[in-house]
């Protein structure tokens, strides 16, 4: 699976980071970074919940 970010939609609000800080991080300039684009399958539930928490719908999960 792969985490995909739509940079045109992402506003760096940090909901994903608060749900799954192991995979998402918002820097001091409110830019979100994916720390691991290809998380292990065992983390699917956590990553899916974090992606669903994005109010801007800027995150998707492929695969």
């Amino acid at each position: 699976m792969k985490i995909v970010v739509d940079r045109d939609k992402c506003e760096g609000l940090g909901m994903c980071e608060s749900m799954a800080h192991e995979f998402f991080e918002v820097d001091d300039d409110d830019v979100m970074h994916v720390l691991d684009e290809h998380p292990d399958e065992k983390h699917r539930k956590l990553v899916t919940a974090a992606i669903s928490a994005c109010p801007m719908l800027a995150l998707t999960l492929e695969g």
Side-chain angles (χ1 to χ4, degrees), residues 5-63:
V5 182
D6 182 336
R7 294 287 171 193
D8 292 329
K9 291 182 180 178
C10 182
E11 293 189 3
L13 300 174
M15 296 302 294
C16 56
E17 180 182 29
S18 68
M19 297 281 298
H21 62 87
E22 305 93 327
F23 301 98
F24 305 96
E25 180 178 76
V26 178
D27 67 17
D28 293 337
D29 295 323
D30 294 330
V31 176
M32 191 276 295
H33 301 277
V34 178
L35 303 176
D36 182 358
E37 286 187 339
H38 299 279
D40 190 272
E41 185 65 34
K42 68 182 178 183
H43 299 293
R44 181 178 288 272
K45 187 174 179 179
L46 175 65
V47 171
T48 300
I51 287 171
S52 296
C54 178
M56 304 311 296
L57 305 175
L59 300 168
T60 54
L61 190 61
E62 294 180 349

